[in-house]
Amino acid sequence: MENVVIIDCGSQFTQLIARRVREMNIHSVVLSWDARRERVAEFNPKGIIISGGPDSVNDPDAIAVDRRVLDMGAPVLGICYGMQLLAKTLGGAVASGERSEYGVTRVRRSGDSRLLEGLPEELEVLMSHGDRVTSLPEGFRATASTEGGVTAATEDRAGHFFGLQFHPEVVHTEHGRDVLRRFLFDICGCAGDWRLEDWVEGAVADIRRQVGEGRVVCGLSGGVDSSVAAALVNRAIGSRLTCIFVDHGLMRLNEAKHVVASYSGMGLSVRHVDASALFLDRLAGVTDPERKRRIIGGLFIDVFDAEAAKIGAVDWLLQGTIYPDVIESGRRKGAVLIKSHHNVGGLPEHMKLRLLEPLRDLFKDEVRAIGRLIGVPEDIVDRQPFPGPGLAVRCLGEITRERLDALREADAIFREELRRAKLYDGIWQSFCVLLPVRTVGVMGDSRTYSEVVALRAVNSQDAMTADWVRIPPEVLDVTARRICNEVRGVNRVVLDVTSKPPATIEWE
Ligand code: XMP
């Protein structure tokens, strides 16, 4: 199989590079920066990409790539930190902290370039660096620069080394994919004959190898990720997988019933545990978002623990963790904690289960494509993402049965109206949030003093960034009227018009 090796120097975007490579039907392997030449050689790479990273190459303890990796015969593309590392290692110089550039910047091409051939003379690109290359190694030339004179792209005359100070992997860089395509196809000579089917085959083989004769339990949430993970493991080890569906009482209207019915149609062995009383009890009086998340995460594990003990002799816990969960939970070096996603994090010591996370390098839309490929029903694959802590993070303030019921009804109305307007299926996520804010209203001749529902609808490709959806005013109007008329305890509806960043998709 044709491989491209991506050497990870700690960038937030490393898996996005891997994804872009997959999109071009090329298989890639992400290796840590400290991989030795011998390890890289195992993959017989057609090309090597060195990622960005948070370090400065001038720091005495900055991470460095095995020098011998650069001379393996495969073309090397350094991105951001990767370019600085190449420059410094091959005899150039990098200056620290003089002028940093963050955000979208204009760069201008200069002279011929194999990497940038066919692209416009000027490009808008995403830069995110504090250091800059001040002197190029011998045999290198700059092929693009910023308005401030910083080298934005470079390559050597022999056509072996390439460097980009900007990030071609992000959507904010114009022609970013074209640049990667030129590197992979024209420079590395990749054929691009790898398919998603190959990923499934590889994943099934990996799961069999990892699990051996062991038994696996899986927490099914009704969401796309855990369902696809379960279907995949089911394909690999069949009846040695037992799924547990924990109903935490924080699902949407009629959701639990619907989900359990769908799973039985998929041939999965599912135990349905109604733990709603336990969860709601422990959440009583809790208002802090992170505390809610921690309580729910902890209880999930407790319930699993108890159920797994009933099944007996279980060795593995399967989780549908996907890449954005890993990044946002700050488990990688250099990444900060945004929210502790409840399906990510440590298991209690006493629970001697090992974690199986076959989807942890993938993005949501890739998980959906794989789900379709392995026969997960369309109504599950197509479901909008729903957070593990469920309505707890949409019911701001105190969680009570009454407030959850109000939120469920409002949410069902919003969904119904979006469906009626044929908008629902095209939206990444749409939901209601119940705010612990009371405002004055008037119903008939009476004064009301009730809570507020916020409508949230966003479109996204991978949940890392999102734009708020412009829902037609007529749909908003009928939704707001219905919520105020039909939902007890709500007299006002507002619309969230914030994108991510600066907001996150969920309110908590
Ligand atoms: P945010 O709110 O961080 O959400 O922009 C990004 C995506 O993740 C979902 N989400 C979660 N999913 N467990 C999950 O499985 C969680 O704890 C969790 N919190 C947020 C959110 O709905 C969105 O799709």
Side-chain angles (χ1 to χ4, degrees):
M1 183 166 56
E2 183 173 87
N3 280 312
V4 166
V5 165
I6 299 167
I7 298 190
D8 180 21
C9 296
S11 167
Q12 294 254 333
F13 296 134
T14 301
Q15 288 297 341
L16 201 52
I17 303 173
R19 181 215 162 106
R20 294 287 174 249
V21 176
R22 282 197 290 278
E23 282 173 355
M24 292 176 206
N25 295 328
I26 297 165
H27 184 256
S28 70
V29 185
V30 176
L31 297 180
S32 168
W33 60 272
D34 53 1
R36 312 296 299 159
R37 178 192 166 114
E38 293 70 23
R39 175 76 178 132
V40 177
E42 285 172 25
F43 300 97
N44 189 22
K46 296 215 56 151
I48 294 171
I49 300 178
I50 305 176
S51 84
D55 285 7
S56 164
V57 286
N58 293 324
D59 287 349
D61 54 354
I63 59 177
V65 169
D66 183 354
R67 172 74 179 76
R68 298 170 307 147
V69 165
L70 306 183
D71 305 321
M72 292 177 67
V76 180
L77 170 64
I79 296 175
C80 198
Y81 182 82
M83 162 166 145
Q84 294 162 5
L85 195 62
L86 269 185
K88 181 147 182 175
T89 311
L90 299 173
V94 175
S96 291
E98 276 178 19
R99 191 181 302 149
S100 48
E101 286 172 301
Y102 295 97
V104 174
T105 313
R106 214 157 237 299
V107 301
R108 180 160 250 291
R109 292 182 46 195
S110 52
D112 287 344
S113 161
R114 278 192 77 197
L115 189 60
L116 307 180
E117 196 181 299
L119 298 189
E121 283 303 298
E122 285 200 358
L123 295 167
E124 297 226 310
V125 300
L126 184 88
M127 291 274 198
S128 168
H129 68 97
D131 292 358
R132 64 198 195 108
V133 173
T134 46
S135 139
L136 291 169
E138 209 183 308
F140 278 67
R141 63 202 147 86
T143 53
S145 320
T146 68
E147 281 161 354
V150 173
T151 301
T154 174
E155 58 193 61
D156 74 329
R157 269 183 220 105
H160 184 70
F161 294 115
F162 301 84
L164 295 170
Q165 186 55 71
F166 57 87
H167 290 275
E169 68 275 21
V170 303
V171 287
H172 312 280
T173 292
E174 269 180 349
H175 295 285
R177 283 174 207 220
D178 294 332
V179 175
L180 288 174
R181 195 171 290 120
R182 278 204 59 80
F183 177 70
L184 295 166
F185 290 100
D186 301 301
I187 294 167
C188 300
C190 291
D193 50 10
W194 177 84
R195 298 281 174 275
L196 219 47
E197 285 87 337
D198 300 330
W199 185 94
V200 172
E201 237 174 71
V204 165
D206 283 348
I207 293 164
R208 287 190 182 136
R209 205 173 313 121
Q210 252 184 301
V211 172
E213 292 305 307
R215 297 188 71 86
V216 181
V217 273
C218 165
L220 281 182
S221 67
V224 186
D225 307 338
S226 60
S227 307
V228 173
L232 197 63
V233 173
N234 191 41
R235 181 177 273 215
I237 61 163
S239 62
R240 280 185 288 126
L241 166 71
T242 308
C243 302
I244 300 168
F245 173 68
V246 179
D247 182 357
H248 49 21
L250 301 162
M251 306 290 278
R252 289 164 291 194
L253 204 63
N254 299 326
E255 194 167 21
K257 264 189 268 167
H258 177 76
V259 159
V260 172
S262 302
Y263 285 139
S264 68
M266 279 166 67
L268 296 174
S269 142
V270 183
R271 296 163 85 106
H272 179 181
V273 188
D274 182 357
S276 49
L278 175 68
F279 277 81
L280 298 187
D281 231 42
R282 287 281 299 281
L283 286 167
V286 178
T287 55
D288 177 70
E290 277 300 306
R291 243 190 99 205
K292 285 181 187 174
R293 283 175 174 274
R294 279 196 303 274
I295 290 174
I296 294 168
L299 280 180
F300 250 99
I301 299 289
D302 290 349
V303 176
F304 271 129
D305 206 1
E307 285 303 309
K310 287 183 207 160
I311 300 164
V314 174
D315 316 276
W316 294 85
L317 175 66
L318 168 64
Q319 294 203 322
T321 315
I322 64 169
Y323 191 63
D325 303 336
V326 179
I327 282 237
E328 302 227 329
S329 292
R331 279 216 299 193
R332 297 179 68 249
K333 180 182 167 234
V336 290
L337 172 73
I338 313 260
K339 294 178 188 181
S340 43
H341 281 204
H342 93 74
N343 55 348
V344 178
L347 294 173
E349 258 309 294
H350 73 272
M351 198 179 177
K352 297 273 182 258
L353 293 183
R354 281 181 286 172
L355 265 189
L356 189 60
E357 295 179 315
L359 309 177
R360 61 173 291 127
D361 290 340
L362 300 180
F363 291 84
K364 194 84 171 191
D365 51 339
E366 296 180 305
V367 172
R368 287 202 163 108
I370 288 163
R372 287 197 179 95
L373 208 62
I374 60 175
V376 176
E378 202 59 29
D379 67 323
I380 290 194
V381 169
D382 252 359
R383 288 184 76 202
Q384 293 186 353
F386 187 62
L391 296 183
V393 293
R394 296 178 179 175
C395 187
L396 274 50
E398 203 175 332
I399 297 167
T400 63
R401 284 176 198 277
E402 295 70 35
R403 294 190 74 227
L404 281 175
D405 283 343
L407 176 55
R408 271 191 198 103
E409 281 172 45
D411 194 70
I413 291 171
F414 188 26
R415 220 166 339 143
E416 209 173 289
E417 292 307 325
L418 287 174
R419 281 222 163 92
R420 201 193 307 280
K422 305 212 176 329
L423 295 172
Y424 187 80
D425 288 338
I427 294 178
W428 171 271
Q429 254 175 306
S430 52
F431 52 89
C432 289
V433 184
L434 184 63
L435 311 187
V437 175
R438 293 210 286 168
T439 72
V440 175
V442 54
M443 291 275 259
D445 291 329
S446 317
R447 173 188 193 266
T448 55
Y449 187 50
S450 312
E451 291 191 322
V452 180
V453 159
L455 306 179
R456 178 77 164 142
V458 294
N459 274 332
S460 174
Q461 275 199 341
D462 49 26
M464 306 276 281
T465 58
D467 286 325
W468 65 279
V469 180
R470 276 63 169 172
I471 300 169
E474 315 76 72
V475 180
L476 293 173
D477 182 52
V478 66
T479 305
R481 279 170 200 277
R482 282 193 59 198
I483 290 176
C484 291
N485 280 326
E486 297 172 31
V487 182
R488 221 168 162 30
V490 176
N491 67 352
R492 192 176 296 267
V493 174
V494 296
L495 178 68
D496 182 352
V497 292
T498 337
S499 291
K500 173 184 181 177
T504 51
I505 296 175
E506 305 289 346
W507 278 40
E508 285 193 337

Coordinates of all heavy atoms in Angstrom, one line a residue, residues 422-462:
K422 N -38.6 21.6 5.6 CA -37.6 20.8 4.9 C -36.2 21.3 5.1 O -35.3 21.4 4.2 CB -37.9 20.7 3.4 CG -39.3 20.2 3.1 CD -39.4 19.4 1.8 CE -40.7 18.8 1.5 NZ -41.5 18.4 2.7
L423 N -35.9 21.8 6.3 CA -34.6 22.4 6.6 C -33.7 21.4 7.4 O -32.5 21.5 7.4 CB -34.7 23.7 7.3 CG -35.3 24.9 6.5 CD1 -35.6 26.1 7.4 CD2 -34.4 25.3 5.4
Y424 N -34.4 20.6 8.2 CA -33.8 19.9 9.3 C -32.6 19.0 8.8 O -31.5 19.0 9.4 CB -34.8 19.0 10.0 CG -34.2 18.3 11.2 CD1 -34.1 19.0 12.4 CD2 -33.8 17.0 11.2 CE1 -33.6 18.4 13.6 CE2 -33.3 16.3 12.3 CZ -33.2 17.0 13.5 OH -32.7 16.4 14.6
D425 N -32.8 18.3 7.7 CA -31.8 17.3 7.2 C -30.5 18.0 6.7 O -29.5 17.4 6.7 CB -32.3 16.4 6.1 CG -33.3 15.4 6.7 OD1 -33.2 15.2 8.0 OD2 -34.2 14.9 6.0
G426 N -30.7 19.3 6.3 CA -29.5 20.0 5.8 C -28.7 20.7 6.9 O -27.7 21.4 6.6
I427 N -29.1 20.6 8.2 CA -28.5 21.4 9.2 C -27.6 20.4 10.1 O -28.0 19.3 10.4 CB -29.6 22.0 10.1 CG1 -30.3 23.1 9.3 CG2 -28.9 22.7 11.4 CD1 -31.4 23.8 10.1
W428 N -26.4 20.9 10.4 CA -25.5 20.0 11.2 C -26.1 19.8 12.6 O -26.2 18.6 13.0 CB -24.2 20.8 11.3 CG -23.2 20.2 12.3 CD1 -23.1 20.5 13.6 CD2 -22.2 19.2 12.0 NE1 -22.1 19.8 14.2 CE2 -21.5 19.0 13.2 CE3 -21.8 18.6 10.9 CZ2 -20.5 18.1 13.3 CZ3 -20.7 17.7 11.0 CH2 -20.1 17.4 12.1
Q429 N -26.5 20.8 13.3 CA -27.1 20.7 14.6 C -28.1 21.8 14.9 O -27.8 22.9 14.6 CB -26.0 20.8 15.7 CG -25.7 19.4 16.3 CD -24.5 19.5 17.3 OE1 -23.5 20.0 17.0 NE2 -24.7 19.1 18.5
S430 N -29.3 21.4 15.4 CA -30.2 22.4 15.7 C -30.9 22.0 17.0 O -31.3 20.8 17.1 CB -31.3 22.6 14.6 OG -31.8 21.4 14.2
F431 N -31.1 22.9 18.0 CA -31.7 22.5 19.2 C -32.1 23.7 20.0 O -31.8 24.8 19.6 CB -30.7 21.6 20.1 CG -29.3 22.3 20.2 CD1 -29.0 23.1 21.3 CD2 -28.3 22.0 19.3 CE1 -27.8 23.7 21.5 CE2 -27.0 22.6 19.5 CZ -26.8 23.4 20.5
C432 N -32.8 23.5 21.1 CA -33.2 24.5 22.0 C -32.3 24.5 23.3 O -31.8 23.4 23.7 CB -34.6 24.4 22.5 SG -35.8 24.7 21.1
V433 N -32.2 25.6 23.9 CA -31.4 25.8 25.2 C -32.4 26.5 26.1 O -33.0 27.5 25.7 CB -30.2 26.6 25.0 CG1 -29.4 26.6 26.3 CG2 -29.3 26.0 23.9
L434 N -32.6 25.9 27.3 CA -33.4 26.6 28.3 C -32.6 27.4 29.2 O -31.6 26.9 29.8 CB -34.2 25.5 29.1 CG -35.2 26.1 30.1 CD1 -36.3 26.8 29.4 CD2 -35.8 24.9 30.9
L435 N -32.9 28.7 29.3 CA -32.0 29.6 30.1 C -32.7 29.8 31.5 O -33.9 30.0 31.6 CB -31.9 30.9 29.4 CG -31.5 30.9 27.9 CD1 -31.3 32.3 27.4 CD2 -30.3 30.0 27.7
P436 N -31.8 29.9 32.5 CA -32.3 30.1 33.8 C -32.6 31.6 34.1 O -32.1 32.2 35.0 CB -31.2 29.6 34.7 CG -30.0 29.8 33.9 CD -30.4 29.8 32.5
V437 N -33.2 32.3 33.1 CA -33.5 33.7 33.2 C -35.0 33.9 33.1 O -35.6 33.4 32.1 CB -32.8 34.4 32.0 CG1 -33.1 35.9 31.9 CG2 -31.3 34.2 32.0
R438 N -35.5 34.7 34.0 CA -37.0 34.9 33.9 C -37.2 36.3 33.4 O -36.6 37.3 33.8 CB -37.7 34.6 35.2 CG -37.6 33.1 35.5 CD -38.7 32.7 36.4 NE -38.6 33.1 37.7 CZ -39.6 33.1 38.6 NH1 -40.8 32.6 38.2 NH2 -39.4 33.5 39.8
T439 N -38.2 36.4 32.5 CA -38.5 37.8 32.0 C -40.0 37.9 32.0 O -40.8 37.0 32.1 CB -38.1 37.9 30.5 OG1 -38.9 37.2 29.6 CG2 -36.6 37.5 30.3
V440 N -40.5 39.2 32.0 CA -41.9 39.5 32.1 C -42.6 39.4 30.7 O -42.0 39.8 29.7 CB -42.1 40.9 32.6 CG1 -43.6 41.3 32.7 CG2 -41.5 41.0 34.0
G441 N -43.8 38.8 30.7 CA -44.5 38.7 29.5 C -46.0 38.9 29.8 O -46.4 39.2 30.9
V442 N -46.8 38.9 28.7 CA -48.2 39.0 29.0 C -49.0 38.0 28.1 O -48.7 37.8 27.0 CB -48.7 40.5 28.6 CG1 -48.3 40.9 27.2 CG2 -50.2 40.6 28.8
M443 N -49.9 37.2 28.8 CA -50.6 36.2 28.1 C -52.1 36.5 28.4 O -52.5 36.5 29.6 CB -50.3 34.8 28.7 CG -48.9 34.3 28.4 SD -48.9 33.5 26.9 CE -48.9 31.8 27.3
G444 N -52.9 36.7 27.4 CA -54.3 37.2 27.7 C -54.2 38.5 28.4 O -53.5 39.4 28.0
D445 N -54.8 38.5 29.6 CA -54.7 39.8 30.4 C -53.8 39.6 31.5 O -53.7 40.5 32.4 CB -56.1 40.1 30.9 CG -57.0 40.5 29.8 OD1 -56.5 41.1 28.8 OD2 -58.3 40.2 29.8
S446 N -53.0 38.5 31.6 CA -52.2 38.3 32.8 C -50.7 38.5 32.5 O -50.3 38.4 31.4 CB -52.4 36.9 33.3 OG -53.7 36.5 33.2
R447 N -50.1 38.9 33.6 CA -48.6 39.0 33.5 C -48.0 37.6 33.7 O -48.5 36.8 34.5 CB -48.2 39.9 34.7 CG -46.7 40.1 34.9 CD -46.5 40.8 36.2 NE -45.1 41.3 36.4 CZ -44.2 40.6 37.1 NH1 -44.5 39.5 37.6 NH2 -43.0 41.1 37.2
T448 N -47.0 37.4 33.0 CA -46.2 36.1 33.2 C -44.8 36.5 33.6 O -44.3 37.6 33.3 CB -46.2 35.2 32.0 OG1 -45.6 36.0 30.9 CG2 -47.6 34.7 31.6
Y449 N -44.1 35.6 34.3 CA -42.7 35.8 34.6 C -42.1 34.5 34.5 O -42.1 33.7 35.4 CB -42.7 36.4 36.1 CG -41.3 36.8 36.5 CD1 -40.5 37.7 35.7 CD2 -40.8 36.4 37.7 CE1 -39.3 38.1 36.2 CE2 -39.5 36.8 38.2 CZ -38.8 37.6 37.4 OH -37.5 38.0 37.8
S450 N -41.6 34.2 33.3 CA -41.2 32.8 33.0 C -39.8 32.8 32.3 O -39.2 33.9 32.0 CB -42.2 32.2 32.0 OG -43.5 32.4 32.5
E451 N -39.3 31.6 32.0 CA -38.0 31.4 31.5 C -37.9 31.6 30.0 O -38.9 31.7 29.3 CB -37.5 30.0 31.9 CG -37.2 30.0 33.4 CD -36.4 28.7 33.8 OE1 -36.7 27.7 33.3 OE2 -35.6 28.9 34.7
V452 N -36.7 31.6 29.5 CA -36.4 31.9 28.1 C -35.8 30.7 27.4 O -35.0 30.0 27.9 CB -35.3 33.1 28.0 CG1 -35.0 33.4 26.5 CG2 -35.7 34.3 28.8
V453 N -36.3 30.5 26.1 CA -35.7 29.4 25.3 C -34.9 30.1 24.2 O -35.3 31.0 23.6 CB -36.8 28.5 24.7 CG1 -36.3 27.8 23.5 CG2 -37.3 27.5 25.7
A454 N -33.6 29.6 24.0 CA -32.8 30.1 22.9 C -32.8 29.0 21.8 O -32.7 27.8 22.1 CB -31.4 30.3 23.4
L455 N -32.9 29.4 20.6 CA -32.8 28.5 19.5 C -31.4 28.6 18.9 O -30.8 29.6 18.8 CB -33.8 29.0 18.3 CG -35.3 29.2 18.7 CD1 -36.0 29.6 17.4 CD2 -35.9 27.9 19.2
R456 N -30.9 27.4 18.7 CA -29.5 27.3 18.2 C -29.5 26.4 17.0 O -29.9 25.2 17.1 CB -28.6 26.7 19.3 CG -27.1 26.5 19.0 CD -26.4 27.8 19.0 NE -24.9 27.7 19.1 CZ -24.2 28.5 18.4 NH1 -24.7 29.5 17.7 NH2 -22.9 28.4 18.6
A457 N -28.9 26.9 15.9 CA -28.8 26.0 14.7 C -27.5 26.4 14.1 O -27.2 27.6 13.8 CB -29.9 26.2 13.7
V458 N -26.6 25.4 13.8 CA -25.3 25.7 13.2 C -25.0 24.7 12.1 O -25.5 23.6 12.1 CB -24.2 25.6 14.3 CG1 -24.3 26.7 15.3 CG2 -24.1 24.2 14.9
N459 N -24.2 25.2 11.2 CA -23.6 24.3 10.2 C -22.2 24.1 10.4 O -21.5 25.1 10.8 CB -23.9 24.8 8.8 CG -25.3 24.3 8.3 OD1 -25.8 23.2 8.8 ND2 -26.0 25.1 7.5
S460 N -21.7 23.0 10.2 CA -20.2 22.7 10.4 C -19.8 21.5 9.5 O -20.7 20.8 9.0 CB -20.1 22.3 11.9 OG -18.7 22.0 12.1
Q461 N -18.5 21.4 9.4 CA -18.0 20.2 8.7 C -17.5 19.2 9.6 O -17.5 18.0 9.4 CB -16.9 20.6 7.7 CG -17.4 21.1 6.4 CD -16.3 21.1 5.4 OE1 -15.1 21.0 5.7 NE2 -16.7 21.1 4.1
D462 N -16.9 19.7 10.7 CA -16.2 18.7 11.6 C -16.4 19.2 13.1 O -15.6 18.7 13.9 CB -14.8 18.6 11.2 CG -14.1 20.0 11.1 OD1 -14.7 21.0 11.7 OD2 -13.2 20.2 10.3

